[in-house]
Amino acid sequence: MQQVLVQPQEDTLQRRVRLAPRSRWPDVLVRLFVKACGGFVLLTTILLIGFLARTGLAGMGEVGIWSLLFGPRWKPESQLYGGLPLILGTFVSALGAAAMGATPAVLAAVWLTEFAPKPLRGFYRRLMEIAAAIPSVVYGWLALTHLVPVMGAFAHAIYGDDSNVGGEGLASSAVLLSVMIAPTVLLLSVDALSRVPYNLREASAALGASPWQTGFRVVMPYAWRGLLVAVFFGFARAAGETMAVQMVIGGARVIPANLFRPTTTISSQIVMDMQNARPGTPADDALFSMALILLIVSIAVVLVTRMLSRPVRA
Amino acid sequence: MLVRSELISLAFFLALGAALGCDKTPPPEGTAGTASTQAALAPVSDGPIRVSGSSALQPLVNAAKEKFEAQNKGASVEVSAGGSKKGLVDVASGAVQIGDSDIFAAPDQKNLVDHKVAVVGFAAMANKGPYNAKITSLGMDQIAKIFTGDIKNWKDVGGGSQPIVVINRAPASGTRTVFGNVVLGGDKFVESQTEDNSGALVAKLKQTQGAISYLALSFKDDDLLTLSIKIGPDTMDPTAETITQGKYPVWSYEHMYTKGEATGGAKRFLDFVLSPDFQTTTLPSVKGFIPITAMKVQRDKD
């Protein structure tokens, strides 16, 4: 409905701009500048990916792709470049976060769009926008001081007082990330659900469906692509998160025995190691290889998201 | 008209692209080039004197910075900590004028000039609790086995039953390198939790039951258990006396490296730190540091 109203207005607006006097010098300069800006951003991105690919591939050549993907031990100072602990750490925390954070977030979005009282909706949305804008270091600091001790006590309750477990590990990082991604996933889900045409709900109600049946059997299935995109986006954000995770993951470069033992992720290990990686050394190149792997994962997620969010024919 | 403006912008674009594209071909050389230009320029300018590296040495450098800035109007020293190896990398790349380190520079870093400014001792420090209340000293091999992960519980070294949580410093740390070399015979630490700063480590040790790590004596804290070392029949406390006499073995020089001979502000600051006045009056008052001149034993490698 909105589109039909807005479309012709845009058309007339464009026509008026085209009719305005043009090709004076200031005009040309401004246009040139704007285009240069556009090109510059594009070029920066291409060069960045190019550089990362070059150094990363060099690293893969030096230490071997097999070791980078499946080696069990990362210790560059002893020429050990096993990337498995880093990759596992990244995936387990991100998957855990997606499971624990995205599920409630999507359901909350359904509740918010279908059942919540009108005045509450706007307030809830603002609150989530604020939560999504909190810097990650704040989340990390809060988790370190409040979540990690609780998780430590929890771990000892499970494994016994005498076991070597603690608050730092995958469990803490997954819980922290789930809290961090929930607002974003919720906001994206609300957007997806709001795009469901209203007449579907009316038709469903006319057939005698209760609001719950409408919400879960009509609205959610119709918006599934958008909801999936929201979850994927949350996963990508969790996989790339650095600062907050580094504060609670512990930083041990081994595959942990359980969720309450310290380990590491790709991004936090890059932060730890870049300090003493001298440019041009295998340690430095291997680190770039891990960065490249992280980038490839992100690109894959973006591509899947794009495929899913292609408009469906109504 | 439309065509002309499009052409102009296209040409501009291609030029921009070509210019940047050329730059792209040798990126490592390019970055190295800018870094060395920076280094060449830095000592000449009278800007702040930038120092980075060892967090063990940081308390002493901060003390020196205060006195130095008070005595020299307009002088400013910027100190950041991030580990000895970072200090060495930073000074070699020209990012800072002075690189602090607990360890000697690598043999291939020949252009770095060493200034030994102090000596500092290191000790194993642990969380205090009822489980280790009776422990004050351990044998060298016991400490080594704790950090290699062979001893996993305080009860195996005479304490109560409590799992030992080893917390490591990051690989860039000089403290880790020195402690590893002297006590473990190399970097044989069990892989475990990692802190990249001494100050943060103290806080972590206090809050983690059963935790143990290794720190410079400048971070000695009454709320932490500082372990003495049993060597043969003797028990050596980590003190200035035992270190200067060569009886307590875990110590290292604190180095301040410059790239080439020190010049300008960096030279003035180093001269100040090495002056008899600073070495004999200020330095001993900073916890954990020992003046170079007091040492009765010497080393030329870690």
Side-chain angles (χ1 to χ4, degrees):
Chain A
M1 246 164 49
Q2 261 184 337
Q3 277 186 339
V4 180
L5 279 174
V6 169
Q7 210 80 30
Q9 270 184 339
E10 260 178 1
D11 254 16
T12 49
L13 206 66
Q14 262 183 352
R15 200 163 295 139
R16 209 182 310 146
V17 170
R18 281 190 189 286
L19 287 173
R22 52 211 304 279
S23 83
R24 276 178 298 178
W25 268 108
D27 215 25
V28 173
L29 280 179
V30 167
R31 234 177 284 157
L32 199 68
F33 180 71
V34 171
K35 278 177 190 166
C37 286
F40 189 68
V41 172
L42 184 76
L43 206 68
T44 312
T45 314
I46 291 172
L47 286 182
L48 193 113
I49 294 176
F51 175 79
L52 198 57
R54 214 183 66 159
T55 325
L57 289 174
M60 287 178 186
E62 279 166 59
V63 303
I65 179 91
W66 183 261
S67 159
L68 281 171
L69 289 179
F70 302 110
R73 191 90 153 74
W74 180 269
K75 197 177 181 190
E77 64 272 25
S78 308
Q79 280 76 50
L80 284 173
Y81 303 101
L84 191 58
L86 286 63
I87 294 171
L88 267 183
T90 302
F91 271 88
V92 173
S93 353
L95 282 177
M100 281 188 292
T103 315
V106 169
L107 292 178
V110 175
W111 172 77
L112 198 63
T113 47
E114 305 304 315
F115 309 114
K118 272 261 161 60
L120 192 64
R121 292 185 196 180
F123 173 73
Y124 202 120
R125 238 194 110 91
R126 295 293 160 276
L127 205 65
M128 285 299 114
E129 277 163 8
I130 291 171
I134 295 175
S136 56
V137 68
V138 176
Y139 277 110
W141 181 237
L142 283 173
L144 184 62
T145 51
H146 292 83
L147 176 68
V148 168
V150 173
M151 292 304 270
F154 187 57
H156 281 293
I158 299 176
Y159 290 95
D161 282 340
D162 256 12
S163 51
N164 194 353
V165 290
E168 269 143 342
L170 289 171
S172 287
S173 95
V175 170
L176 163 66
L177 285 172
S178 71
V179 174
M180 288 179 71
I181 65 168
T184 315
V185 176
L186 184 133
L187 288 171
L188 288 172
S189 304
V190 166
D191 287 345
L193 293 168
S194 320
R195 281 196 300 268
V196 176
Y198 202 76
N199 54 21
L200 280 183
R201 294 187 179 86
E202 288 172 337
S204 169
L207 287 171
S210 74
W212 285 91
Q213 287 170 322
T214 307
F216 284 97
R217 300 206 184 159
V218 177
V219 179
M220 259 183 92
Y222 188 89
W224 74 271
R225 280 164 181 270
L227 297 179
L228 212 57
V229 167
V231 174
F232 268 107
F233 196 83
F235 175 83
R237 161 130 204 241
E241 176 54 46
T242 309
M243 195 62 228
V245 171
Q246 208 214 334
M247 293 164 89
V248 304
I249 195 94
R253 302 160 295 178
V254 284
I255 300 165
N258 57 52
L259 299 179
F260 299 95
R261 296 277 298 142
T263 181
T264 187
T265 64
I266 296 178
S267 51
S268 63
Q269 202 54 44
I270 289 174
V271 172
M272 288 292 271
D273 284 1
M274 65 184 187
Q275 295 176 350
N276 56 332
R278 286 199 264 162
T281 57
D284 192 54
D285 291 343
L287 211 53
F288 273 110
S289 304
M290 294 315 290
L292 183 64
I293 290 172
L294 191 60
L295 179 75
I296 291 171
V297 171
S298 309
I299 290 176
V301 171
V302 169
L303 286 181
V304 171
T305 317
R306 280 210 65 85
M307 263 157 51
L308 285 174
S309 55
R310 240 182 263 154
V312 251
R313 264 172 289 169
Chain B
M1 280 316 196
L2 172 96
V3 177
R4 200 178 69 175
S5 80
E6 292 289 330
L7 274 180
I8 291 171
S9 58
L10 188 70
F12 179 75
F13 241 154
L14 287 176
L16 186 82
L20 287 166
C22 290
D23 260 357
K24 182 192 148 195
T25 343
E29 288 84 350
T31 42
T34 46
S36 59
T37 351
Q38 241 181 9
L41 287 174
V44 183
S45 78
D46 238 23
I49 303 156
R50 291 184 310 271
V51 185
S52 87
S54 162
S55 60
L57 182 55
Q58 201 186 14
L60 183 68
V61 180
N62 277 334
K65 160 196 158 83
E66 272 177 37
K67 295 247 157 142
F68 181 74
E69 286 177 352
Q71 283 181 19
N72 299 272
K73 282 274 169 308
S76 112
V77 183
E78 287 172 2
V79 190
S80 68
S84 296
K85 287 178 188 164
K86 177 165 163 47
L88 292 172
V89 169
D90 282 354
V91 71
S93 77
V96 299
Q97 288 106 309
I98 299 173
D100 295 343
S101 173
D102 310 337
I103 51 176
F104 284 91
D108 62 322
Q109 293 176 308
K110 283 206 181 66
N111 53 351
L112 297 184
V113 177
D114 188 7
H115 309 267
K116 298 191 186 79
V117 297
V119 166
V120 76
F122 301 91
M125 297 192 201
N127 174 270
K128 261 188 186 171
Y131 57 87
N132 61 12
K134 288 186 193 136
I135 302 173
T136 54
S137 65
L138 290 174
M140 196 79 139
D141 56 324
Q142 285 177 307
I143 298 180
K145 277 182 179 164
I146 286 176
F147 285 105
T148 53
D150 293 324
I151 295 179
K152 294 188 169 73
N153 199 303
W154 283 100
K155 70 174 185 237
D156 298 331
V157 290
S161 176
Q162 170 74 38
I164 294 176
V165 179
V166 173
I167 305 181
N168 277 316
R169 289 287 313 279
S173 154
T175 306
R176 175 175 174 142
T177 309
V178 172
F179 196 86
N181 282 346
V182 179
V183 182
L184 281 69
D187 193 312
K188 294 170 186 161
F189 293 97
V190 61
E191 193 64 46
S192 69
Q193 276 187 58
T194 305
E195 279 294 334
D196 57 357
N197 184 289
S198 300
L201 177 56
V202 171
K204 184 115 262 176
L205 280 175
K206 284 183 189 173
Q207 79 176 54
T208 312
Q209 279 227 325
I212 188 167
S213 188
Y214 36 88
L215 281 156
L217 292 174
S218 44
F219 286 92
K220 195 175 167 189
D221 193 305
D222 287 344
D223 294 334
L224 294 178
L225 169 68
T226 304
L227 289 167
S228 303
I229 298 181
K230 278 185 216 147
I231 300 171
D234 303 319
T235 299
M236 291 302 160
D237 298 331
T239 61
E241 289 75 52
T242 55
I243 291 171
T244 51
Q245 291 164 9
K247 288 179 182 166
Y248 182 86
V250 197
W251 60 270
S252 76
Y253 293 111
E254 290 297 338
H255 313 260
M256 291 173 87
Y257 278 97
T258 52
K259 191 179 187 180
E261 289 299 333
T263 52
K267 179 169 171 44
R268 284 198 296 280
F269 186 57
L270 282 169
D271 286 346
F272 174 78
V273 173
L274 290 167
S275 67
D277 181 45
F278 182 82
Q279 288 277 325
T280 52
T281 59
T282 315
L283 194 143
S285 72
V286 184
K287 189 172 71 176
F289 290 97
I290 301 165
I292 280 283
T293 46
M295 291 304 289
K296 300 194 172 57
V297 286
Q298 283 188 353
R299 279 181 191 166
D300 53 9
K301 62 183 171 62
D302 293 311

